[in-house]
Amino acid sequence: MPPRTVLIAGAGIAGPTLAHWLTRHGMTATVVERAPALRSGGQTVDLRGAGLTVIRRMGLEAAARNAATQEAGIRFVDDQNRTKAALPADAFGGKGPVADLEILRPELSSLLYEHTRHDTEYLFDDEVTALTDDSDKAHVVLKNRGERSFDLVIAADGIRSRTRDLVFSDTRTRGFGLCTAYFTIPHRPSDGRWARWYNAPGHRSVTLRPDNLGTTRATLS
Ligand SMILES: Cc1cc2nc3c(=O)[nH]c(=O)nc-3n(C[C@H](O)[C@H](O)[C@H](O)COP(=O)(O)OP(=O)(O)OC[C@H]3O[C@@H](n4cnc5c(N)ncnc54)[C@H](O)[C@@H]3O)c2cc1C
């Protein structure tokens, strides 16, 4: 029997991870990614719990630690930058607000892609525009590459997945009234290796997190 073929939509974190495990279990994985190349956006992801177990079982823990942001922990500061409380990265057994293994989303994505690209077919700059299931195969139409058929299609194309919308109706996301702007600013030596969090009056907050690329990841909420 030929290996089962699986199409995964999305080459972020979940997509390449699935490709690894499905290939390991004898399947042939194809990943279709809407962007023309791996997306370089995203902030810090904490690898803990199940995520850490998965990365360990993939043999990628050392590589993830090499690419980690190396934050010392998090300090809650006042409007004069005075520390009110400090939680080091090893607080709560490394499972505190800043975990002992924090990695930028694009660094993690790239690690997973490099680990899987030799035995996974990656189709960049494409997406599924139609999907039908005849109970034997799933037939998809790829926007730029036409029709293909797979044994299984998995939507791993993020929170606003269009692939999921092709299968399920009423998948709207619901807002909770919290708005956060994420951006990257230069890192100054005086910023140090601690993340900082300032809660201002009026439900506002600012966070600054040093990364491993010489910049600081900032949020305004
Ligand atoms: C701004 C931001 C900050 C975050 N901060 C944190 C944090 O501090 N800590 C933490 O733990 N987690 C954080 N996260 C969450 C973490 O990044 C996500 O949980 C993680 O990236 C989800 O992985 P994913 O593979 O499901 O989706 P994604 O990483 O979003 O990847 C989805 C991929 O699918 C592609 N795609 C989209 N539509 C299609 C389509 N129709 N067809 C094909 N491909 C498609 C996208 O281009 C993308 O490459 C943050 C996320 C964001 C966006």
Side-chain angles (χ1 to χ4, degrees):
M1 200 172 122
R4 280 173 183 259
T5 56
V6 183
L7 176 69
I8 300 163
I13 308 302
T17 306
L18 270 167
H20 165 91
W21 288 105
L22 295 176
T23 304
R24 181 112 167 238
H25 287 273
M27 300 180 210
T28 302
T30 297
V31 176
V32 58
E33 165 59 50
R34 183 154 59 114
L38 278 193
R39 293 188 60 172
S40 60
Q43 303 273 349
T44 315
V45 175
D46 47 351
L47 273 177
R48 65 173 92 199
L52 187 54
T53 304
V54 170
I55 215 83
R56 262 184 197 149
R57 288 185 183 170
M58 290 174 79
L60 291 176
E61 184 182 357
R65 289 196 183 276
N66 276 340
T69 58
Q70 310 283 357
E71 287 162 286
I74 188 161
R75 286 182 175 145
F76 293 87
V77 297
D78 65 14
D79 59 358
Q80 300 299 314
N81 196 33
R82 289 177 299 223
T83 301
K84 296 307 211 181
L87 292 167
D90 60 5
F92 306 107
K95 297 174 188 163
V98 165
D100 72 343
L101 180 44
E102 299 267 355
I103 182 168
L104 292 175
R105 182 200 164 278
E107 297 269 280
L108 180 58
S109 172
S110 157
L111 193 68
L112 296 166
Y113 168 70
E114 288 299 329
H115 187 68
T116 52
R117 71 188 176 94
H118 297 295
D119 46 20
T120 298
E121 178 187 27
Y122 276 90
L123 307 173
F124 286 96
D125 195 19
D126 218 337
E127 65 181 304
V128 179
T129 53
L131 205 167
T132 51
D133 182 351
D134 68 6
S135 81
D136 179 36
K137 294 268 183 191
H139 307 283
V140 302
V141 178
L142 296 170
K143 190 176 177 183
N144 296 321
R145 292 177 175 86
E147 293 178 23
R148 299 237 339 227
S149 298
F150 297 87
D151 291 307
L152 197 65
V153 173
I154 299 177
D157 46 344
I159 195 167
R160 298 185 200 284
S161 169
R162 290 189 198 173
T163 311
R164 179 186 57 202
D165 289 346
L166 294 172
V167 183
F168 300 102
S169 56
D170 194 24
T171 60
R172 282 169 299 145
T173 52
R174 188 157 55 95
F176 287 92
L178 172 68
C179 298
T180 301
Y182 293 86
F183 48 99
T184 305
I185 57 176
H187 180 83
R188 295 187 178 157
S190 60
D191 289 338
R193 299 307 311 160
W194 284 81
R196 281 170 291 165
W197 183 329
Y198 169 54
N199 280 314
H203 313 291
R204 294 170 298 160
S205 72
V206 183
T207 65
L208 295 171
R209 301 187 66 174
D211 66 27
N212 54 317
L213 304 179
T215 50
T216 292
R217 307 290 164 138
T219 68
L220 294 177
S221 297

